[in-house]
Amino acid sequence: MTDTTSEFFSAAVTLADAEPQHFDLAFTAVTQPCPWPKAYGGDLVAQAAAAAMRSVDDGKTLHSMHSYFMRPADIGAEVRYEVELLRDGRGYATRQVRGYQNGKPLYVCLANFAAGEPGPSYTAARPGWLDTTALPGPEDLPSAADYLADRTGGTMTEVSKTYWSTGRSFDMRHVPGPLYLTVEDEKVPHQAVWVKPFDALRPVDGLTDAQRDTAALAYVCDYTILEPVLRVLGLPWAREGLTTASLDHAMWFHRTPRPGTADGWLLYAQQALAADAGRGLASGRFYTPDGTHLATAVQEGMIRAFQGGPR
């Protein structure tokens, strides 16, 4: 794959049919390259979302997912997703998805689908801490590649620098500045990240374009959602001894992105909610540039800021 494209995302959510061993349907998918000891958690969330969406064929759309990460996933290896068809009603449908690797379950989620119906609409305003009149636009902010071009330090290697810069399928631009090497600005418990795929999202076999765009939100949300916790604690990614891992994750899809929306800039507003006992909790909301609230995510993660510790 070439740099600065969205191909890694497309590869991550391209599923192959498999013979079920435990539940009603099964698919396989491959985790994508990254320079860490374990696969990126967003691979699992997006792959499970794709598996669940491929099991619903009556026009219902994914409106919520609730996930647990039980074991780390091997990088560049196949994960088997088994889908249990728990309920199919006229208005709603529910699926359980379990991911297996090396014969053991490593991920589980419940996913719910809705047919939708006419009704009143409300979209939450951007959080009060986010001064929209002073928020820089994405074109006024450095990309990860620009920011890291002449910087180094801590645990950052050339391999990890390349990954942060071009290996995540999405361009991500931070307000305040990014946490790759240092926490340069005030240790506030919130941040905004402009996100956009490096190029237009490709068609994905088995998914409609709307389903692919929903999977894209599930995929990209995990990269930065713990960052407001790291920011308020003064912990950059390259800090010696820092280890993080996703523990559990919830996501609600309020609106299906209009065609082309996911190819453009989206604002991901994030806030730290709690940090204690080696865990941190943060929330994030996706907005279109015109202020439409697309989705909300909440995630708890393990945060170890020292060498060693219990496993």
Side-chain angles (χ1 to χ4, degrees):
M1 295 182 185
T2 58
D3 290 343
T4 60
T5 78
S6 61
E7 289 182 86
F8 285 114
F9 162 71
S10 301
V13 295
T14 298
L15 310 183
D17 294 315
E19 193 67 28
Q21 297 178 359
H22 304 282
F23 297 122
D24 300 298
L25 297 170
F27 306 93
T28 60
V30 177
T31 57
Q32 297 304 294
C34 66
W36 325 125
K38 58 185 181 297
Y40 168 54
D43 278 4
L44 306 183
V45 178
Q47 289 167 355
M53 287 188 288
R54 286 185 56 168
S55 75
V56 177
D57 58 6
D58 59 358
K60 296 183 180 71
T61 59
L62 180 65
H63 76 83
S64 67
M65 291 181 69
H66 298 264
S67 307
Y68 280 91
F69 303 84
M70 297 179 290
R71 292 181 175 88
D74 294 337
I75 298 169
E78 188 175 272
V79 179
R80 179 187 188 84
Y81 293 93
E82 297 262 355
V83 183
E84 183 178 12
L85 312 184
L86 292 177
R87 180 177 183 268
D88 281 296
R90 288 184 298 175
Y92 293 89
T94 306
R95 301 290 187 260
Q96 179 184 207
V97 184
R98 290 191 187 181
Y100 296 85
Q101 194 177 70
N102 302 319
K104 296 180 180 179
L106 53 79
Y107 170 90
V108 62
C109 83
L110 288 174
N112 217 49
F113 295 78
E117 57 190 78
S121 181
Y122 166 78
T123 187
R126 293 172 176 174
W129 53 263
L130 187 59
D131 183 354
T132 57
T133 61
L135 179 70
E139 304 301 340
D140 297 322
L141 298 167
S143 67
D146 291 337
Y147 180 86
L148 289 170
D150 299 318
R151 290 180 169 93
T152 188
T155 62
M156 185 70 68
T157 65
E158 288 303 315
V159 172
S160 58
K161 183 186 289 191
T162 298
Y163 178 75
W164 287 120
S165 299
T166 62
R168 298 181 291 175
S169 288
F170 289 80
D171 192 346
M172 302 179 207
R173 306 189 180 193
H174 289 68
V175 182
L179 302 180
Y180 303 120
L181 297 167
T182 62
V183 181
E184 296 179 356
D185 301 289
E186 184 181 357
K187 297 176 184 177
V188 293
H190 47 69
Q191 68 176 22
V193 183
W194 287 102
V195 298
K196 185 180 78 168
F198 284 125
D199 59 3
L201 297 177
R202 294 153 177 75
V204 175
D205 289 344
L207 298 179
T208 66
D209 287 352
Q211 290 173 329
R212 175 207 60 202
D213 292 353
T214 297
L217 295 181
Y219 178 85
V220 75
C221 77
D222 190 28
Y223 277 120
T224 57
I225 194 168
L226 289 181
E227 286 188 346
V229 181
L230 298 180
R231 185 181 296 278
V232 75
L233 296 178
L235 300 173
W237 286 112
R239 183 188 188 276
E240 294 283 351
L242 177 65
T243 303
T244 66
S246 302
L247 296 175
D248 60 275
H249 174 96
M251 194 162 188
W252 295 265
F253 304 91
H254 313 302
R255 295 167 177 85
T256 300
R258 294 188 298 272
T261 297
D263 289 331
W265 289 108
L266 296 175
L267 182 65
Y268 191 15
Q270 305 164 340
Q271 185 160 5
L273 302 178
D276 195 45
R279 300 187 308 277
L281 182 71
S283 64
R285 296 185 234 177
F286 284 97
Y287 293 90
T288 62
D290 67 3
T292 301
H293 184 194
L294 293 179
T296 300
V298 178
Q299 182 160 307
E300 186 177 42
M302 181 195 78
I303 299 176
R304 290 181 182 150
F306 51 88
Q307 297 285 358
R311 294 184 178 275

